[in-house]
Amino acid sequence: MPVTVDILNANILIVDDQEANVLLLTQLLSEVGYSRLTSCMNPQEVCALHRKHAFDMILLDLQMPVMDGFQVMEGLKTNISDPYLPVIVLTAQPGHKLRALQAGAKDFISKPFDLIEVKTRIHNMLEVRLLYKKLAEFNHLLEEKVAERTAELRESEARFRSLTELATDWYWEQDESGSFSKVSGPVLEMLGLQVDTLHGQSESTRVGGWDETERGMLLATIAARRPFLDFMLHRTLPDGSGQTFQVSGEPMFNSCSCFVGYRGIGLELTAQA
């Protein structure tokens, strides 16, 4: 909860075309201990003042010439980015109270002023207003932290991919349907796949010669959405020579624990043999 010093330091605007009312409210609030008080007798200046000073509360008279309090509230809602309209209306008309609340006012004070009512309603609304501001500040900080953490994760992922490219022959990702969505390195050439196997395009014919037992085991592991480490794949080329590959992969899940594909790394061991 906001402490008393925060409430007394709130930024308050008093709007009334009657100088006597302005002086009365200013004196009353000053005696209570409010230190940041601004007054205005021209309702046409209210929106500009609020844009400049971002008042924590506006004490707004409803019956004023040229522009009444209802029009002022509409202007505040149109011109101010803050979705919280910090207005207490001042009115001698009982019928205006409900209309004012429906227009966006947070509370009302009846004329002629009851000094206890004035102090209580102002204090209660400022308490709520300052809590709202603290919540907005907390949400802003939280958004910044989330954005910062997201940037860190993206940077970490970029470093991870960079390292895997240095340590292995390729990095790959597949979507939930098994189509390649990301490929880094010569994986397509090494596995005999055409470029049009990338995500969003038709499957091409794969080069044969694979050990079907090994391929079946790998496909079963992927179908079960299990991780695999240093899985060996062998292939016999048309000229009778052989190729050996070592692949590792893991399933990927989104924040809702839904499967979204696989990612992994691979290495051709043929040249190292």
Side-chain angles (χ1 to χ4, degrees):
M1 299 292 288
V3 296
T4 301
V5 65
D6 293 328
I7 293 176
L8 294 178
N9 196 42
N11 196 10
I12 300 174
L13 174 65
I14 302 169
V15 184
D16 198 311
D17 64 314
Q18 299 295 319
E19 185 178 7
N21 290 332
V22 172
L23 293 176
L24 176 60
L25 288 171
T26 300
Q27 180 181 352
L28 172 64
L29 295 179
S30 297
E31 290 175 353
V32 172
Y34 292 99
S35 58
R36 300 174 64 195
L37 301 174
T38 304
S39 62
C40 173
M41 296 178 62
N42 182 356
Q44 294 176 304
E45 298 176 357
V46 174
C47 292
L49 284 171
H50 189 36
R51 277 195 299 268
K52 182 178 180 180
H53 299 287
F55 294 104
D56 297 307
M57 175 185 291
I58 300 175
L59 298 173
L60 178 65
D61 184 31
L62 287 181
Q63 293 184 295
M64 294 181 289
V66 183
M67 187 177 189
D68 65 23
F70 295 105
Q71 293 172 308
V72 172
M73 283 191 285
E74 287 302 313
L76 289 170
K77 288 190 288 187
T78 301
N79 296 318
I80 304 302
S81 59
D82 185 355
Y84 189 96
L85 192 62
V87 171
I88 291 183
V89 297
L90 311 173
T91 180
Q93 302 295 325
H96 285 169
K97 295 176 182 178
L98 178 58
R99 182 185 169 193
L101 294 175
Q102 292 173 335
K106 296 300 184 289
D107 205 347
F108 56 84
I109 294 175
S110 300
K111 291 182 178 180
F113 298 133
D114 179 303
L115 300 186
I116 299 298
E117 178 191 20
V118 171
K119 290 189 289 186
T120 301
R121 290 186 182 275
I122 289 175
H123 182 279
N124 290 346
M125 181 182 154
L126 283 173
E127 197 169 58
V128 174
R129 171 59 170 162
L130 295 180
L131 283 173
Y132 182 91
K133 288 182 67 175
K134 288 183 181 296
L135 178 61
E137 291 170 0
F138 174 80
N139 288 337
H140 179 68
L141 289 175
L142 183 60
E143 289 174 359
E144 289 184 340
K145 289 292 184 183
V146 170
E148 181 181 334
R149 182 57 178 155
T150 300
E152 290 175 354
L153 290 173
R154 288 176 177 170
E155 183 180 352
S156 178
E157 182 178 3
R159 288 198 301 267
F160 168 76
R161 289 183 178 177
S162 177
L163 289 172
T164 57
E165 289 178 25
L166 293 174
T168 62
D169 289 327
W170 69 81
Y171 171 87
W172 55 272
E173 287 187 14
Q174 290 174 285
D175 62 21
E176 64 275 12
S177 65
S179 299
F180 281 95
S181 56
K182 293 181 182 178
V183 172
S184 176
V187 60
L188 301 177
E189 296 84 355
M190 288 184 176
L191 296 183
L193 303 176
Q194 301 299 317
V195 174
D196 62 356
T197 58
L198 285 173
H199 179 64
Q201 302 186 30
S202 60
E203 287 285 338
S204 62
T205 302
R206 300 174 186 271
V207 174
W210 294 99
D211 184 307
E212 292 304 323
T213 300
E214 294 174 346
R215 181 183 286 275
M217 293 173 60
L218 179 58
L219 292 177
T221 298
I222 293 176
R225 298 176 183 173
R226 297 195 302 266
F228 50 92
L229 179 65
D230 296 340
F231 190 92
M232 305 299 292
L233 283 172
H234 297 84
R235 183 171 68 180
T236 301
L237 299 177
D239 63 3
S241 61
Q243 285 182 306
T244 302
F245 299 92
Q246 177 179 286
V247 294
S248 300
E250 63 176 3
M252 297 186 295
F253 300 90
N254 62 19
S255 58
C256 298
S257 300
C258 296
F259 174 74
V260 294
Y262 265 88
R263 67 178 176 184
I265 57 175
L267 185 68
E268 183 181 7
L269 302 179
T270 308
Q272 303 177 11

